[in-house]
Amino acid sequence: MTNQMTFPILIRKAEAILSVSWRSVYEEKQKELTEMFAQYGDRAYGVWIQQFMAPVLEYFKEEGYHVKSGFNRTDSVEHWGPPEERERCIWYVVKHDDGTPAGTMVLQVYHSHIMLHFPRPPRLFPLETTEREQILAALSDATTRVRWDVTEERLPLPGGLPGQGPSWEYATDIALADCLRETHDGQLSSWTLDEALSHWGRYGWELISVAPSGRKLVAFFRRRLEA
């Protein structure tokens, strides 16, 4: 038993184990999981998760920590992404051998509802909080889940099938409302808005929507990626 390393380092070491275990389970059980998905749908992912998380949880046990085993669906949330790439976050409260909480380990699983497919490898990250409502609040903040500290890896579709539909990239402007301020005499002018949008149009961006956010006006743009 060590219990000496910091919680983020503990999770980093666990993620190294995860990076091997998820692939090995999938390669060994691919046929079985595919047949299970065809018959039972998303239950196949639950079986996959339980199997590849087993060595991760064993690692915590060896280090002197206690983590509830298995996949408890109620300790997870899935709100994000298209059906081809849904993101589910599953959390595990990690406790010291005396029962006091050390932190929460969150597992991100990206999966398709269309076929048995994992668009991106699963990942782990730590949270300091161990209370359910605070965990949910943290996960509802996209900055908690979006990982800028690792290189994104995308996995090919089964059989090398190409993706469907055109590819787009997206961008936002969070200060468009600055162009809509009233002048000292209470008048509105559009020329500053025209000027701001012209810069986006010059590079092929298309304005697709705007939405208020407090006193800001967020503009959403997209442009088609060349094949």
Side-chain angles (χ1 to χ4, degrees):
M1 179 181 71
T2 61
N3 275 8
Q4 298 300 311
M5 69 183 78
T6 65
F7 193 66
I9 292 177
L10 184 74
I11 299 303
R12 196 177 308 152
K13 290 180 178 293
E15 190 165 33
I17 298 171
L18 172 71
S19 67
V20 175
S21 65
W22 82 261
R23 291 181 189 273
S24 62
V25 170
Y26 176 63
E27 290 172 359
E28 180 182 348
K29 305 285 188 177
Q30 182 178 6
K31 184 175 184 295
E32 176 184 329
L33 291 171
T34 301
E35 292 174 351
M36 187 179 300
F37 182 86
Q39 187 170 2
Y40 300 109
D42 281 3
R43 292 186 190 178
Y45 294 122
V47 172
W48 176 62
I49 291 168
Q50 290 190 65
Q51 293 186 10
F52 76 64
M53 283 298 289
V56 175
L57 301 180
E58 181 62 27
Y59 163 73
F60 282 94
K61 182 179 178 180
E62 293 172 355
E63 291 293 330
Y65 294 89
H66 297 275
V67 187
K68 188 176 181 179
S69 62
F71 166 43
N72 187 350
R73 188 180 176 87
T74 60
D75 289 340
S76 71
V77 62
E78 180 182 314
H79 290 324
W80 314 280
E84 294 86 356
E85 190 171 328
R86 291 293 285 174
E87 176 189 348
R88 178 176 289 276
C89 284
I90 305 150
W91 64 86
Y92 302 80
V93 175
V94 180
K95 297 181 179 181
H96 295 287
D97 54 4
D98 62 0
T100 58
T104 298
M105 173 176 63
V106 178
L107 168 67
Q108 291 174 294
V109 175
Y110 305 92
H111 60 290
S112 171
H113 286 183
I114 309 302
M115 67 181 79
L116 185 82
H117 176 55
F118 316 109
R120 288 186 270 175
R123 294 171 171 174
L124 296 174
F125 66 85
L127 289 179
E128 291 185 3
T129 183
T130 57
E131 298 296 328
R132 179 181 179 83
E133 292 306 317
Q134 293 177 354
I135 292 170
L136 288 169
L139 294 178
S140 69
D141 184 347
T143 59
T144 301
R145 304 184 337 273
V146 177
R147 300 285 299 276
W148 301 109
D149 59 323
V150 293
T151 302
E152 181 180 290
E153 178 185 359
R154 304 201 68 84
L155 304 174
L157 286 166
L161 295 175
Q164 296 181 349
S167 296
W168 302 89
E169 61 178 326
Y170 295 85
T172 56
D173 188 324
I174 63 172
L176 207 61
D178 292 352
C179 303
L180 297 173
R181 299 183 184 277
E182 292 183 358
T183 60
H184 67 280
D185 58 359
Q187 299 297 311
L188 285 175
S189 176
S190 65
W191 74 267
T192 53
L193 183 60
D194 295 342
E195 193 270 346
L197 294 176
S198 70
H199 298 304
W200 287 88
R202 183 175 297 111
Y203 297 100
W205 291 100
E206 172 189 358
L207 176 66
I208 56 175
S209 183
V210 294
S213 178
R215 295 184 178 182
K216 296 291 186 181
L217 185 65
V218 181
F220 301 89
F221 297 86
R222 73 175 181 180
R223 64 181 175 187
R224 188 166 182 168
L225 292 174
E226 297 296 331

